[in-house]
């Protein structure tokens, strides 16, 4: 059992061990998450007060902090209770006033004896045209003026904690910091000119000029790297552990894959072939695969998945493909079953909807290996679902599944290879932070012949025109989606809005041509509505975001999104990805409720101007922040205190490579640098990593 290194003990002591911190103050600190001396080290100053002595308040532009030497003049005590006590002072060029509220006359007389010289420091302001300092921070005899720090760090505060308390506490915490062994590769240290850890924290708290506060300042950058590296090392440990869990060697013979490819009306793209190659190489290795397949909507991930699943079957095992919704699972079934059948492979579906008899039959066939490929929903996670020899689990549209479920699925086989597919192009920085434990294949090439989708912004005031246009398009035999707005958190409200819209559109376009799907509909009705739309019986499908992910109806060429300004960019991109899949030129109408704010307008313009999912996700990240881009299910985001996840992507990449290399060279972290890395993991409180290194 690994335990916290002794060198860190002083930093993990009670906060009350620090100078000036009693139990009450400790409670105040806890409000900003500061519970141990260690925590204080990573609360860096956000700005800097220059208290270097200057000649006169006339030399600065108030309001600002100054330090000047003055001769004390007249005292003017508060004549009326509640009015301030004023002391006139004279610096090298001008006279100004020191102002005190609720002043103690005797104390002031002692501090500022008339006719004597003092150094005062504080914020000078103009009041009625006269310069004044209210409650100076320092009033000292000239001989004692050295006690004024010439550069004073300014910290983020909370109620009950003053700058002085904070500064004192930090200084005290710094005395507990030891010179820790170096965990960063020497070459990186040299390349970036980074100081050692102790020097970095010391300097981080002692900025001397504004540029010392910049993200790129060497001490800060090093501390940021430490945070990022600790996180990447955690991910790398998780990855190593997964890979080490003895993988099953699955080698295909291409027979089934070739049969399927021969039956397709198109050729796979280069990116599809490359990804299949990467996947089958992983499957053939004795390590466990943990791979992410990233590909924009319409890039053809399903085919890649099928070829990988067929490899599992060729290798004598089974494969499973998980979809986030019933609709998608059915769609996969419909797309894949004919291809599988044609190749002589048994492919079945398992969802929560199977009746008990049917379900029992399927479970038996799975356990005996008669079902070779299973397509399913969450229902597959259930305990009684047992495979004969599961080799590969494909998880489609992963952002709907949590990381834990990914792991659960992995437990269904001896050492199931895992392929996660996502259509949400995640900005590189976030991908590194959240998927650093995976290897990544990218489908960066779309199947040929796709027409661009014409995206138009339209005010909801033109609702009637839009409906009239739809009527014409439908008469021409085209099909369309109509996505209803997100009306808050409740599905019920969303559903009510969809039903309401369904009624209006049906009245306008005709009873038979309009269908409806939303999450609250009984599943049989949902299927029926989808089926009617796929078959072209209904021409317009009114829907909530249930159609967001993966739905593929090539004949649909119009997408109307109501209150588009309420959606995230990535979500709009997903929705728009439902059209532009067939031979017809497609249109996407982004309907908004005016007046549109500037930010909202900018977002919708991004949608209008590009169809590149990566560009859109980068923009989404800039406009909304990481949490929103990834959504709730994906909250595997680290919370960095110093590093900036969104802009320090380069450091993340460096850290990822370095962490993987370190583990490759020293898998148990027992070498010199490995031991140092352990100290880092404890320092950064990487609980998960610590558990991983503890179990060995
Ligand atoms: P996504 O990556 O969004 O899941 P799909 O796998 O649903 O994309 O594929 C979108 C459409 O493109 C499907 O109709 C599929 O049959 C088709 N498709 C896939 N690969 C190719 C290809 N190489 N050439 C032409 N069409 C393809
Ligand atoms: Mg898909």
């Amino acid at each position: 059992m690994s335990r916290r290194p002794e060198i860190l003990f002083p930093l993990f002591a009670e906060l009350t061990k620090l100078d000036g911190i009693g139990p009450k103050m400790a409670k105040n600190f806890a409000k900003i998450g500061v519970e141990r001396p260690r925590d204080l080290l990573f609360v860096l100053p956000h700005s800097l007060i220059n208290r270097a002595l200057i000649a006169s308040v006339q030399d600065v532009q108030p309001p600002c902090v100054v330090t000047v030497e003055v001769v004390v003049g007249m005292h003017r005590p508060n004549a009326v209770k509640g009015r301030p006590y004023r002391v006139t002072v004279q610096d090298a060029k001008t006279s100004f006033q020191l102002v005190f509220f609720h002043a103690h006359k005797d104390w002031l007389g002692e501090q500022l004896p008339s006719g004597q010289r003092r150094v005062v420091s504080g914020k000078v302001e103009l009041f009625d045209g006269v310069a004044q300092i209210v409650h100076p921070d320092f009033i000292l005899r000239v001989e004692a003026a050295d006690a004024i720090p010439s550069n004073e760090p300014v910290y983020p505060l909370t109620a009950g904690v003053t700058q002085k308390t904070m500064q004192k506490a930090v200084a005290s915490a710094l005395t507990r910091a030891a010179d820790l062994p170096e965990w960063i590769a020497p070459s990186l240290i040299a390349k970036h000119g980074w100081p050692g850890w102790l020097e970095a924290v010391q300097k981080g708290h002692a900025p001397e000029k504004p540029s010392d506060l910049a993200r790129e300042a060497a001490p800060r950058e090093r501390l940021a790297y430490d945070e990022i590296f600790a996180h990447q090392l955690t991910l790398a440990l998780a990855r190593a552990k997964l890979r080490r869990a003895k993988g099953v060697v699955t080698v295909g013979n291409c027979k089934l894959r070739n049969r399927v490819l021969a039956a397709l009306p198109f050729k796979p793209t280069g990116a599809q072939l490359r990804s299949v190659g990467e996947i089958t190489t992983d499957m053939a290795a004795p390590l466990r695969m943990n791979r992410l397949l990233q590909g924009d909507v319409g890039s053809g991930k399903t085919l890649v998945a099928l070829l990988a699943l067929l490899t599992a079957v060729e290798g004598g095992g089974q494969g499973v493909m998980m979809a986030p919704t019933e609709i998608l699972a059915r769609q996969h079934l419909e797309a894949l079953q004919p291809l599988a059948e044609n190749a002589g492979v048994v492919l079945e579906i398992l969802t929560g909807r199977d009746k008990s008899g049917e379900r029992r039959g399927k479970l038996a066939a799975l356990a005996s290996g008669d079902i070779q490929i299973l397509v399913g929903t969450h229902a597959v996670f259930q305990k009684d679902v047992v495979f004969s020899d599961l080799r590969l689990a494909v998880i489609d549209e992963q952002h709907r599944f949590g990381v834990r479920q990914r792991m659960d699925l992995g437990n269904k086989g001896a050492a199931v290879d895992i392929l996660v597919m996502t259509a949400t192009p995640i900005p590189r920085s976030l991908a590194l932070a959240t998927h650093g434990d995976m290897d990544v294949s990218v489908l960066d090439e779309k199947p040929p012949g796709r027409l661009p989708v014409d995206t138009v912004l339209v005010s909801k005031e033109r609702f009637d025109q839009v409906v009239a246009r739809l009527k014409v398009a439908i008469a021409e035999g085209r099909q369309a989606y109509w996505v209803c707005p997100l009306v808050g958190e409740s599905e019920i409200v969303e559903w009510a809005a969809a039903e309401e819209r369904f009624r209006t559109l049906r009245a306008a376009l005709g009873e038979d041509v309009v269908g409806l799907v939303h999450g609250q509909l009984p599943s049989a009705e949902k299927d029926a509505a989808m089926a009617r739309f796929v078959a072209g019986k209904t021409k317009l499908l009114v829907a909530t975001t249930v159609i967001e992910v993966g739905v593929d109806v090539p004949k649909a060429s119009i997408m109307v999104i109501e209150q588009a300004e309420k959606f995230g960019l990535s979500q709009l991109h997903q929705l728009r990805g439902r059209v532009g899949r067939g031979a017809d030129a497609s249109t996407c109408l982004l309907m908004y409720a005016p007046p549109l704010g500037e930010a909202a307008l900018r977002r919708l313009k991004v949608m209008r101007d590009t169809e590149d999912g990566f560009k859109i996700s980068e923009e989404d990240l800039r406009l909304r922040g990481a949490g929103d881009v990834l959504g709730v299910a994906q909250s595997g985001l680290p919370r960095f205190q110093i590093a900036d996840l969104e802009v320090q992507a380069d450091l993340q990449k460096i850290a990822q490579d370095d962490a993987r290399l370190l583990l490759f060279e020293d898998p148990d972290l027992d070498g010199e640098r490995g031991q140092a890395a352990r100290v880092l993991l404890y320092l950064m409180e990487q609980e998960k990593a610590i558990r991983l290194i503890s179990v060995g």
Side-chain angles (χ1 to χ4, degrees):
M1 188 71 189
S2 179
R3 59 195 290 269
R4 181 182 296 143
E6 263 178 51
I7 196 166
L8 295 178
F9 285 3
L11 289 176
F12 282 82
E14 301 276 306
L15 203 59
T16 47
K17 292 263 167 18
L18 297 180
D19 295 344
I21 299 189
K24 213 168 133 198
M25 190 55 76
K27 278 207 185 109
N28 292 339
F29 270 105
K31 285 184 214 139
I32 46 169
V34 172
E35 289 173 352
R36 263 92 35 95
R38 171 231 172 259
D39 301 332
L40 275 173
L41 298 183
F42 301 116
V43 178
L44 292 182
H46 56 66
S47 54
L48 177 66
I49 295 175
N50 180 354
R51 290 194 194 270
L53 192 69
I54 60 168
S56 169
V57 295
Q58 252 183 10
D59 298 343
V60 298
Q61 195 75 46
C64 72
V65 172
V66 295
T67 304
V68 287
E69 188 177 324
V70 297
V71 178
V72 181
M74 204 171 61
H75 281 233
R76 278 194 289 152
N78 37 338
V80 183
K81 206 166 179 251
R83 301 294 285 281
Y85 186 117
R86 297 171 180 277
V87 181
T88 304
V89 295
Q90 170 80 39
D91 68 21
K93 296 184 184 167
T94 185
S95 73
F96 63 99
Q97 298 201 322
L98 304 181
V99 179
F100 302 87
F101 292 89
H102 314 294
H104 216 285
K105 193 165 176 253
D106 298 343
W107 181 81
L108 281 171
E110 243 169 66
Q111 292 289 306
L112 292 162
S114 294
Q116 294 206 14
R117 294 189 157 272
R118 287 291 183 272
V119 173
V120 295
S121 182
K123 185 156 129 201
V124 61
E125 300 161 294
L126 289 181
F127 185 74
D128 280 345
V130 181
Q132 64 175 37
I133 296 177
V134 180
H135 296 186
D137 302 322
F138 296 91
I139 302 172
L140 292 168
R141 291 169 182 279
V142 179
E143 323 78 81
D146 282 353
I148 302 176
S150 59
N151 281 299
E152 192 181 71
V154 185
Y155 290 94
L157 297 176
T158 177
V161 180
T162 62
Q163 280 301 339
K164 280 198 175 145
T165 312
M166 189 76 183
Q167 287 163 6
K168 200 161 160 190
V170 167
S172 179
L174 280 169
T175 63
R176 298 178 152 253
D179 198 359
L180 302 180
E182 188 54 81
W183 45 77
I184 303 180
S187 58
L188 274 177
I189 294 271
K191 182 166 168 220
H192 295 272
W194 286 334
W197 180 78
L198 182 60
E199 191 185 333
V201 276
Q202 287 168 341
K203 289 208 164 139
H205 285 280
E208 290 176 1
K209 49 192 182 308
S211 63
D212 291 343
L213 299 165
R215 198 181 288 126
E216 304 76 37
R220 283 196 181 225
E221 195 175 67
R222 187 229 146 95
L223 295 176
Y225 184 80
D226 285 345
E227 252 180 328
I228 293 171
F229 183 56
H231 177 63
Q232 285 297 337
L233 193 54
T234 302
L235 292 172
L237 279 161
R239 171 177 180 266
K241 175 153 195 250
L242 258 178
R243 286 166 65 86
R244 233 193 295 186
K246 71 160 184 35
V248 171
V249 173
T250 301
V251 186
N253 53 19
C254 292
K255 270 193 191 149
L256 301 174
R257 278 175 281 168
N258 286 342
R259 266 185 234 163
V260 164
L261 288 176
L264 285 178
F266 51 75
K267 277 209 188 85
T269 64
Q272 284 172 319
L273 289 177
R274 174 168 34 82
S275 299
V276 172
E278 287 163 359
I279 293 161
T280 51
T281 304
D282 274 3
M283 290 173 72
L287 299 171
R288 188 172 190 175
M289 173 169 79
N290 192 28
R291 183 169 283 278
L292 178 71
L293 176 65
Q294 209 183 30
D296 210 342
V297 279
S299 57
K301 291 183 291 296
T302 320
L303 178 61
V304 174
L306 177 62
L307 295 175
L309 291 163
L310 289 171
T311 307
V313 178
E314 286 167 3
Q318 294 165 296
V320 63
M321 171 131 147
M322 304 286 306
T325 63
E326 181 91 28
I327 290 180
L328 284 175
R330 302 236 159 245
Q331 186 182 289
H332 283 321
L333 179 77
E334 271 148 39
L336 302 182
Q337 204 169 34
L339 291 169
E341 221 161 72
N342 181 53
V345 172
V346 181
L347 185 147
E348 261 301 344
I349 186 168
L350 186 76
T351 73
R353 225 182 282 168
D354 290 296
K355 303 266 164 10
S356 59
E358 202 180 357
R359 180 180 158 86
R360 228 173 299 129
K362 285 182 185 175
L363 293 188
L366 268 179
S368 67
D370 289 343
I371 293 176
Q372 293 162 298
I373 298 178
L374 184 70
V375 172
T377 56
H378 285 80
V380 174
F381 291 120
Q382 276 155 21
K383 271 219 180 67
D384 58 350
V385 179
V386 179
F387 291 81
S388 154
D389 183 7
L390 182 63
R391 302 284 184 86
L392 172 69
V394 179
I395 305 178
D396 193 10
E397 313 295 359
Q398 173 235 8
H399 53 293
R400 294 286 178 98
F401 287 116
V403 175
R404 179 146 344 105
Q405 285 174 313
R406 199 163 93 201
M407 295 298 155
D408 283 352
L409 197 57
N411 295 334
K412 293 249 176 226
V416 181
D417 285 326
I418 294 181
L419 176 68
V420 170
M421 306 202 293
T422 175
T424 318
I426 307 170
R428 181 160 160 268
S429 58
L430 297 193
L432 283 164
T434 54
H435 300 304
D437 57 337
M438 309 179 98
D439 298 296
V440 181
S441 294
V442 182
L443 288 180
D444 49 9
E445 180 186 352
K446 284 203 182 176
R450 292 273 159 80
L451 293 166
V453 177
D454 184 23
T455 301
V456 183
L457 310 191
V458 48
S459 160
K460 102 172 185 216
E461 284 162 356
R462 289 171 53 198
F463 185 91
D464 292 345
Q465 276 165 273
V466 170
V467 175
R469 234 175 106 178
L470 270 179
K471 199 164 187 168
V472 175
I474 288 173
E476 289 168 2
R478 298 173 69 182
Q479 283 181 281
Y481 295 98
W482 185 293
V483 179
C484 293
L486 298 167
V487 202
E489 299 303 292
S490 150
E491 268 185 45
I492 306 284
V493 188
E494 201 169 295
W495 151 62
E499 298 240 327
E500 164 77 40
R501 184 56 75 226
F502 172 59
R503 279 193 293 273
T504 340
L505 290 170
R506 222 161 52 147
L509 299 169
E511 292 276 314
D512 305 334
V513 299
V514 185
L516 172 69
V517 282
H518 58 68
Q520 300 291 307
L521 224 49
S523 17
E525 279 184 46
K526 237 188 314 197
D527 286 355
M530 275 316 290
R532 277 197 301 275
F533 187 63
V534 172
K537 287 190 186 123
T538 46
K539 305 293 181 189
L540 178 72
L541 187 65
V542 177
T544 55
T545 49
V546 288
I547 62 149
E548 177 190 342
V549 226
V551 173
D552 188 27
V553 181
K555 277 180 290 176
S557 62
I558 300 172
M559 165 73 57
V560 181
I561 304 173
E562 260 193 84
Q563 288 195 25
E565 73 274 15
K566 296 249 164 103
F567 293 85
L569 287 186
S570 299
Q571 211 174 7
L572 288 175
H573 179 64
Q574 286 292 319
L575 288 168
R576 180 171 59 184
R578 298 309 108 216
V579 295
R581 302 183 149 238
D584 293 333
S586 298
T587 306
C588 175
L589 294 177
L590 301 177
M591 220 191 249
Y592 61 87
L596 210 48
E598 200 183 310
L601 181 65
R602 209 170 55 221
R603 292 174 47 210
L604 293 186
K605 278 186 174 162
V606 170
M607 289 307 296
R608 192 188 58 193
D609 297 341
T610 181
E611 270 190 81
D612 180 331
F614 280 95
K615 259 194 209 152
I616 289 171
S617 72
E618 295 281 353
E619 197 65 25
D620 211 12
L621 175 63
R622 244 204 323 279
L623 297 173
R624 286 198 308 165
D628 279 338
V629 172
L630 289 178
V632 218
Q634 252 310 335
S635 46
L637 269 186
R639 262 188 311 230
F640 292 140
Q641 271 181 283
I642 297 171
D644 188 330
L645 179 79
E646 294 170 22
V647 301
Q648 294 183 307
D650 292 346
L651 286 186
Q652 288 194 66
K653 182 64 191 141
I654 295 169
Q656 182 183 71
D657 291 345
D658 195 28
R660 289 183 180 187
L661 184 64
L662 173 61
L663 286 182
F664 176 74
E665 289 169 346
D666 183 6
D668 297 316
L669 295 179
D670 341 289
E672 194 183 334
R673 211 185 134 206
Q675 292 288 348
R678 283 171 181 259
V679 174
L680 172 71
L681 292 173
Y682 278 97
L683 177 67
M684 293 304 181
E685 305 183 290
Q686 297 290 302
E687 306 296 342
K688 187 174 163 207
I690 289 164
R691 271 198 309 278
L692 288 169
I693 54 180
S694 299
V695 293

